[in-house]
């Protein structure tokens, strides 16, 4: 395995010293540092090393060929390990980035899909429709749809959107307003409680508050409105495609 050649000058003798030191370092390293499973290299090396150590500086020293030391991974091995580790870290980082991009893409697809859904803002029958005339309303007509739920029943965001108002609005009492992707604003009034904050993104069907009787309300119900550029529109058309 290891070739022994007679040296012919002092420069070679010096090389022997370097190689011998290299071999000593190499043998001191754990065997897995070499990356080789060839047991012959390890078995042969000590014998040659003994000869080299005994005769350092002598004119007739044998030369252990450098490639053997390189195989054992002495000079430059640490550099190689660091390079390999850097490559492995780079591959891992790329994989993490790829998975994150994939996750974000799926989330965007899910959002796009959910943006197509509409749900009723309350699970209750309609007690008063849109446009009914009557002196009990400030404008002389009913500007929304009333859902006749019980006090404390959940109120849901009718579509995906962003909360633009939560708080008290005189006759409406405790109110939540959401702007949706189509620009329509939905208003949920007379709530006993609000469960969202301004600026919050809400999912379709997400609970945003509870039915109550705050403001001008004779009993617990949800007053639901749709507004386009601040003007009342029939919520039934937006919710169900008809009134
Ligand atoms: Zn109403």
């Amino acid at each position: 395995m290891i070739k022994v050649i007679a040296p012919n000058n002092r420069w070679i003798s010096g090389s022997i010293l370097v190689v011998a030191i290299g071999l000593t370092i190499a043998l001191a390293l754990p065997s897995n540092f070499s990356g080789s499973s060839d047991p012959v290299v390890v078995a042969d090396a000590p014998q040659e090393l003994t000869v080299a150590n005994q005769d350092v500086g002598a004119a007739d020293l044998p030369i252990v060929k450098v490639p053997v030391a390189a195989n054992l991974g002495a000079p430059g091995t640490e550099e190689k390990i660091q390079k390999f580790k850097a490559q492995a870290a780079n591959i891992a980082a790329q994989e993490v980035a790829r998975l994150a991009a994939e996750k974000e893409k799926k989330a965007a697809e899910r959002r796009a899909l959910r943006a197509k859904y509409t749900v009723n803002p309350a699970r209750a029958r309609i007690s008063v429709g849109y446009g009914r005339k009557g002196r009990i309303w400030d404008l002389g007509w009913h500007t929304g749809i009333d859902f006749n739920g019980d006090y404390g029943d959940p109120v849901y965001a009718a579509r995906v959107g962003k909360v633009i108002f939560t708080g008290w609005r005189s006759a409406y009492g405790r109110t939540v307003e959401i702007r949706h992707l189509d620009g329509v604003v939905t208003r949920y009034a007379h709530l006993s409680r609000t469960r969202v904050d301004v600026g919050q993104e809400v999912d379709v069907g997400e609970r945003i508050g509870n039915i109550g009787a705050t403001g001008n309300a004779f009993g617990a119900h949800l007053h639901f409105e749709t507004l386009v550029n601040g003007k009342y529109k029939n919520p039934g058309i937006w919710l169900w495609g008809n009134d």
Side-chain angles (χ1 to χ4, degrees), residues 128-129 137 142-147 190 216 221-225:
V128 183
W137 295 294
H142 193 225
T143 52
I145 290 176
D146 286 352
F147 290 86
H190 307 313
N216 292 352
H221 71 280
L222 171 69
H223 175 87
F224 177 77
E225 288 182 355

Side-chain angles (χ1 to χ4, degrees), residues 7 9-23 52 56-58 61-66 69:
N9 57 38
R10 293 181 68 81
W11 184 84
I12 293 173
S13 299
S15 300
I16 292 163
L17 179 61
V18 171
V19 170
I21 292 167
L23 262 178
V56 166
L61 280 179
I63 293 174
V64 179
K65 274 197 168 178
V66 174

